[in-house]
Amino acid sequence: MYDLESSILKAFLLADGAPVSGDRMARELGVSRVSVWQRLERLRSAGFVFDAAPRKGYRLTHIPPGLHPALLDAHLRLLKVRARVDFLPEVDSTNSEAERRLAGGAEAPFVVLAGRQTAGRGRLGRVWHSEHPENLYASFAFRPFLSPDRMQSFTLMMGLRVCERLAIRHALPGLRLKWPNDLVCSGRKLAGMLTEARMDSDQVRDLVFGIGLNVNSDPAALPAEVRDTAGSLAHALGSKLDLHAEAADLIAGVLDAYEEFESSRVAPDPRALFSKYDSLRGRPVSVGLRGTPLSGVAEGVDERGALLLRLPDGSLTAVNAGEVTLRKA
Ligand code: BTN
């Protein structure tokens, strides 16, 4: 359904603002001029604006807000992403949808992306606010068949790779990872990640890595409870970003990172990369999961990705899971 629309949009992306001839598109795509015209009309009714450049063709001059599946597909094709990527205008949670599809036997890897989530989930049972159509809500489904030991540093490694890719792509030197998997910039959270797995005897059978990335939201327009703590890439950079290009790059980056993770013989050691992007090193923190939180000074992670905490008695302890709060020095 989207193939021809996506091919047409790909031609506009390749032209990079220059006019594209309808005749030439029809010839190169092996379809009639009428088919090209019909698809342009359909894209126009979805909010795209193509200005006619006399005797030269059309220019793509406006893209409607939110994600459009054919344009996303065009970007993914340019980045040569081969995995199946499905866009849903609305879903309860992309993680839940990916889990349902895995349970139903869908071939992995695949990606589920949504325009909005009605029941977006965060870590530790929290809600992930997912109303903003200019942010990304994506889940990546895999069937690793690896032992749980081998998966220990998975979420941290994936978070670090996403952090590194975004920091380089946008020249954002202040982008950091707050253990275990929040992306933060100038004290505001830009992204959160939620990994969920299903075990089969002694192997991880179904694995879903979900990420919510705030791309173009204005923190002031977010719900009151996150207004003072949430950020976005656009807020950090001072200008809006191309949502489709961000979505495609995130997808390509996560799939690459997974391939690298899966193909390494042993669980990757996150220490070197973590030390580059660690937002907590040397800071007084409390870490709690249930019960009384542990207080100490953060000293990086161990080879499994557990947070190292220097306790007031001078001893060093490794914390596997929990929520970190910064304490006043
Ligand atoms: C957190 O920081 O608490 C993790 C947030 C993870 C949110 C993402 S959005 C896409 C995917 N679907 C969900 O329901 N949650 C994750």
Side-chain angles (χ1 to χ4, degrees), residues 58-80:
Y58 306 92
R59 271 197 185 89
L60 173 58
T61 55
H62 176 77
I63 293 168
L67 282 175
H68 187 282
L71 184 54
L72 176 65
D73 193 52
H75 277 276
L76 290 168
R77 285 165 68 185
L78 287 178
L79 293 183
K80 304 201 181 331

Side-chain angles (χ1 to χ4, degrees), residues 92-96 117 119-124 126 128 130 136-139 181-182 189 191-194 210-213:
D92 53 351
S93 147
T94 53
N95 265 34
S96 305
Q117 300 183 114
R121 291 187 277 119
R123 289 175 59 242
L124 309 172
R126 282 186 299 235
W128 185 258
S130 315
L136 295 173
Y137 316 104
S139 296
N181 34 38
D182 289 352
K189 176 163 167 174
M193 290 157 240
L194 178 67
I211 175 164
L213 173 62

Side-chain angles (χ1 to χ4, degrees), residues 17-64:
V20 178
S21 138
D23 279 358
R24 191 160 155 202
M25 261 192 291
R27 250 193 338 272
E28 288 181 359
L29 298 173
V31 296
S32 67
R33 278 174 15 204
V34 174
S35 301
V36 169
W37 183 82
Q38 280 170 342
R39 300 306 161 117
L40 286 174
E41 283 309 296
R42 190 139 81 196
L43 289 165
R44 277 190 173 117
S45 61
F48 288 85
V49 178
F50 302 97
D51 286 348
R55 286 184 302 281
K56 288 185 179 150
Y58 306 92
R59 271 197 185 89
L60 173 58
T61 55
H62 176 77
I63 293 168

